Amino acid sequence: MKHLLDIGVLTPDDLHHLMALTDHMVEVNQRPIPKVPALRGKTVVNLFFENSTRTLTSFDTAARRLSADVMNFAVSSSSVNKGESLRDTIETISAMGVDAFVVRHKSSGAPMQVTKWTNASVVNAGDGWHQHPTQALLDCYTIRTHLNRRTGFDGLHIAIVGDIKHSRVARSNVQAFTALGAHVTLVAPPTLLPPAVETWPVTVSHDLDSLIAKVDVLYLLRMQRERMVDALVPSLREYTGAYGLTPLRAARLRPHALVMHPGPMNRGVEMAVDPSELPGSMVLHQVTNGVAVRMAVLFELLGSGADLATSA
Amino acid sequence: MSADDVRRAIARISHEIVERNHGLDDVVVIGLQRGGVWIAQELAAALGRIENGRSVPVGSVDVSLYRDDVGLRPLVPGSVTTIPVHLGGKTVVLVDDVLFTGRTVRAALDALGDHGRPRAVQLAVIVDRGHRELPIRPDFVGKNLPTSRHENVTVQPNGVVLR
């Protein structure tokens, strides 16, 4: 694998392979000295054109734990503000000799464009409404670990609730969850469903209450406040009433059910209970697993030698 | 070597380990992923039998994140490191099936260092096939087997095969 741009191009075997690699990285992260020399001498550039704390920090930590050198480009302080194009930025940094770009951009497809301007590997860290492949991998890994589903998600019922339309997390997760065999239901008001949702391999519901006692995983998306401006939702209070995880709904979850959220959470909106009091809350496990999954991805792209000849 | 030869080699090495260390105090047996793991478990069981059923901590170490030829050999998923105790002050018996260039052992020494500072590390192998590329020597050897560089040696409970 040279790049990770789109979770949809990975086969179930690819997903299982990356999750098995993640097991190794989880073990590294539990050590007294959580650092290995696997990517010594490799340089990873984090190029974030959109604000992000957790994803940037997570990639940064992942690269350092593999002993890679890391350059973080915050766009607010770079020459992009002087009018430099994306292409010039990439070609300039490439000329310094780097091995991987981790790119977040508000435009869908930007990481794919980047691959045309550099020989380095490119990891998509979120592009527009399109894809967030490492988020999907860490969510799959979290479900695999906590529901003990090492061989696949056959028979699992996963509900993804909230603003599906504007969510790259939802797009990537639907692809990964269904590739592993899960049944996915999207739960949202009609205004927050994507166009052509009928072509997705999912069922659609507008009624969370009829589903909540049946699902194995309840995946909540962030309700972005700016959507109010577009009048897609009448009010946050009405949203919470119909689609939020309230104490009443939490009490109806199955005992083993997991509650997941990609963060950052809106407490009192989609998450109207304290997640630390939910036994099935995976919110912090997702963050922890995110570092290990990103280590596995960087190692697969830069260090595993999986596409080179093996020698004895 | 036949299955019996392998079994006898493991039995002999276990006696040598007890003799060298004047017992089993602070001895931990660590197998190299993946070929050394079953041998480490057999050795630990044999050590327990010698010293009146005492249980010897046994673990495994995956060195693929430490190799100097990362990029030449793919990591085998599923062979995760398990270190049962903190290794500070322990005598670690590192176990592998075949000793060849010594590069895997060098990587394993780096890997062990991340789990504490052992008092000593001793190396046990079933087959020493020569061709060392680093100044590394085994403490306990099942059999010295002259080989050419391009031959392939596999060690299994049912015997050693040279191809």
Side-chain angles (χ1 to χ4, degrees), chain A residues 138-180:
Chain A
L138 76 90
D139 289 332
C140 288
Y141 187 79
T142 303
I143 294 169
R144 172 189 187 259
T145 310
H146 286 268
L147 292 181
N148 197 18
R149 291 298 195 114
R150 297 185 72 85
T151 54
F153 292 176
D154 289 332
L156 277 190
H157 189 181
I158 302 176
I160 303 180
V161 185
D163 183 0
I164 317 285
K165 183 179 182 181
H166 304 95
S167 174
R168 55 192 173 217
V169 173
R171 271 177 187 72
S172 292
N173 272 344
V174 165
Q175 291 176 338
F177 291 163
T178 54
L180 290 171

Side-chain angles (χ1 to χ4, degrees), chain B residues 141-160:
Chain B
V141 183
K143 186 176 177 60
N144 287 295
L145 194 65
T147 60
S148 79
R149 272 186 169 277
H150 56 263
E151 279 173 312
N152 212 333
V153 181
T154 54
V155 179
Q156 281 173 345
N158 56 10
V160 174

Side-chain angles (χ1 to χ4, degrees), chain A residues 17 20-21 23-25 27-28 31-33 35-40 66 299 302-306 308-312, chain B residues 62 64-83 86 100 110-111 113-116 152:
Chain A
H17 171 76
L21 271 185
D23 286 335
H24 290 252
M25 304 307 173
E27 185 274 319
V28 169
R31 295 181 190 173
I33 304 171
K35 186 160 182 152
V36 291
L39 295 186
R40 226 165 29 151
L66 294 172
F299 184 73
L302 299 182
S304 73
L308 292 166
T310 59
S311 63
Chain B
D62 163 45
S64 37
L65 299 172
Y66 292 84
R67 295 190 58 100
D68 59 4
D69 53 359
V70 161
L72 292 178
R73 295 166 64 116
L75 191 157
V76 183
S79 50
V80 178
T81 297
T82 44
I83 302 287
H86 185 73
F100 185 22
D110 284 353
D114 286 351
H115 295 273
N152 212 333

Side-chain angles (χ1 to χ4, degrees), chain B residues 10-162:
Chain B
I10 291 173
R12 174 172 52 76
I13 289 171
S14 61
H15 283 277
E16 289 176 0
I17 290 170
V18 174
E19 187 181 11
R20 167 84 65 93
N21 296 298
H22 309 288
L24 290 174
D25 291 344
D26 290 329
V27 168
V28 183
V29 181
I30 305 284
L32 270 119
Q33 288 283 9
R34 300 167 61 113
V37 175
W38 71 270
I39 300 166
Q41 282 159 358
E42 295 283 315
L43 259 182
L47 289 171
R49 285 194 293 273
I50 295 169
E51 293 287 281
N52 303 322
R54 164 171 186 172
S55 96
V56 180
V58 57
S60 66
V61 62
D62 163 45
V63 302
S64 37
L65 299 172
Y66 292 84
R67 295 190 58 100
D68 59 4
D69 53 359
V70 161
L72 292 178
R73 295 166 64 116
L75 191 157
V76 183
S79 50
V80 178
T81 297
T82 44
I83 302 287
V85 292
H86 185 73
L87 298 182
K90 303 287 185 189
T91 298
V92 175
V93 179
L94 192 61
V95 182
D96 205 359
D97 48 359
V98 181
L99 180 59
F100 185 22
T101 61
R103 290 181 189 270
T104 310
V105 172
R106 194 234 21 107
L109 293 173
D110 284 353
L112 291 178
D114 286 351
H115 295 273
R117 182 179 183 278
R119 192 186 66 74
V121 180
Q122 297 164 358
L123 178 62
V125 297
I126 299 299
V127 172
D128 181 355
R129 60 172 293 190
H131 304 288
R132 215 79 75 237
E133 295 169 2
L134 294 170
I136 280 169
R137 57 151 185 79
D139 299 90
F140 312 104
V141 183
K143 186 176 177 60
N144 287 295
L145 194 65
T147 60
S148 79
R149 272 186 169 277
H150 56 263
E151 279 173 312
N152 212 333
V153 181
T154 54
V155 179
Q156 281 173 345
N158 56 10
V160 174
V161 183
L162 179 68

